[in-house]
Amino acid sequence: MGKNEMAKRLPPTRNENSILIICEGAEEYDYMDRLRSLGMWSRNFSIELKDAKSIDNISAVYAYSYRADNYKLVVIFCDTERYPYEQFLAMKNKINKIHGDKVADEVVYFVNPCTLQVVLSHFQPVRLTSNSKTDNAAIVEKLTGVKGYDASMRQRVAIYRKITVENYEVMRRHLAQMSDIYTDIPSSNVLRLFQALDSGDPKWIVDINKKIE
């Protein structure tokens, strides 16, 4: 077994700038995995991903992962779900109960109405108002050529293959013009995460952990 292969099999440790991103579901996981595979983020960070399978599972996965103490930082990437955002707010409240009031604001990175808002922002500025796949199918086809969008694995692969190093910067510019208040439609604060991962500066991990601890 070569050195590189052995390193891949070793579990993460807190001796490196290891970060776990808990993704709400397959769409979020595959999107983050595409960015990771492109080498978009600083090599100063070791990024792991985990699919929580649903927003209702996120808090339990977070609690387990945080207490396992294998990562310097555990963060969350998810949708807000639909108004009145009961599942989203319940998840954040459970995170706050682990750490203290408002800590969830530091570790939860969201998109309203859905992750597709960020994905399509790689191609042009869009303002989705619904998380319905049927409602968004036309704009998905226009920007990616994928017809009848239902978020199947085949479609996700086809869409995410179109994400490139070049249009990553396009997406960042579009997100910079978007609200980061979760009740606004559309909105997202995930640009903060991307900027931190791009920078390579571990100070943001230290700053969040000070608030957590």
Side-chain angles (χ1 to χ4, degrees):
M1 183 184 296
K3 183 177 179 181
N4 290 339
E5 185 178 354
M6 183 180 295
K8 289 179 181 178
R9 295 191 178 189
L10 292 174
T13 71
R14 287 178 62 91
N15 293 327
E16 59 184 339
N17 292 318
S18 52
I19 301 166
L20 175 65
I21 303 176
I22 298 173
C23 302
E24 176 182 340
E27 290 175 87
E28 291 77 20
Y29 181 96
D30 289 350
Y31 174 65
M32 286 293 186
D33 191 45
R34 175 59 175 172
L35 297 183
R36 182 177 61 170
S37 70
L38 287 171
M40 298 309 312
W41 304 317
S42 170
R43 293 185 179 180
N44 289 345
F45 301 121
S46 173
I47 310 296
E48 299 288 334
L49 305 173
K50 185 175 291 187
D51 183 354
K53 306 298 184 182
S54 81
I55 193 168
D56 294 325
N57 295 334
I58 288 176
S59 57
V61 174
Y62 178 90
Y64 176 84
S65 301
Y66 175 77
R67 289 166 181 156
D69 205 31
N70 288 329
Y71 303 93
K72 286 287 187 70
L73 184 66
V74 180
V75 300
I76 294 160
F77 178 51
C78 64
D79 296 345
T80 60
E81 304 302 323
R82 297 180 180 179
Y83 177 85
Y85 314 117
E86 292 177 348
Q87 293 168 286
F88 176 70
L89 294 175
M91 179 270 293
K92 289 187 67 178
N93 286 337
K94 289 176 181 177
I95 302 300
N96 283 333
K97 286 181 179 179
I98 297 171
H99 299 300
D101 288 346
K102 296 186 178 180
V103 167
D105 291 339
E106 305 294 331
V107 299
V108 176
Y109 297 93
F110 65 83
V111 188
N112 185 356
C114 58
T115 297
L116 197 60
Q117 171 68 49
V118 175
V119 173
L120 296 181
S121 292
H122 283 263
F123 310 112
Q124 74 173 40
V126 295
R127 298 186 62 84
L128 301 185
T129 59
S130 168
N131 65 0
S132 165
K133 295 175 179 59
T134 301
D135 291 348
N136 295 325
I139 186 67
V140 170
E141 181 177 354
K142 176 183 176 182
L143 296 184
T144 71
V146 173
K147 298 180 179 180
Y149 182 67
D150 61 6
S152 68
M153 180 182 293
R154 176 183 57 81
Q155 291 179 335
R156 295 197 308 271
V157 169
I159 292 171
Y160 296 161
R161 278 178 178 169
K162 298 178 183 295
I163 291 175
T164 65
V165 172
E166 292 74 21
N167 62 38
Y168 177 79
E169 296 304 322
V170 173
M171 174 272 295
R172 281 180 38 130
R173 291 197 299 271
H174 292 157
L175 291 193
Q177 304 302 314
M178 190 180 302
S179 170
D180 62 359
I181 300 172
Y182 80 91
T183 52
D184 290 343
I185 304 176
S187 61
S188 180
N189 67 347
V190 76
L191 181 59
R192 284 169 30 201
L193 176 62
F194 294 155
Q195 289 171 333
L197 295 177
D198 293 341
S199 74
D201 187 350
K203 183 178 181 298
W204 73 285
I205 298 177
V206 175
D207 290 344
I208 291 177
N209 279 324
K210 284 180 180 178
K211 297 178 182 179
I212 288 176
E213 297 167 358

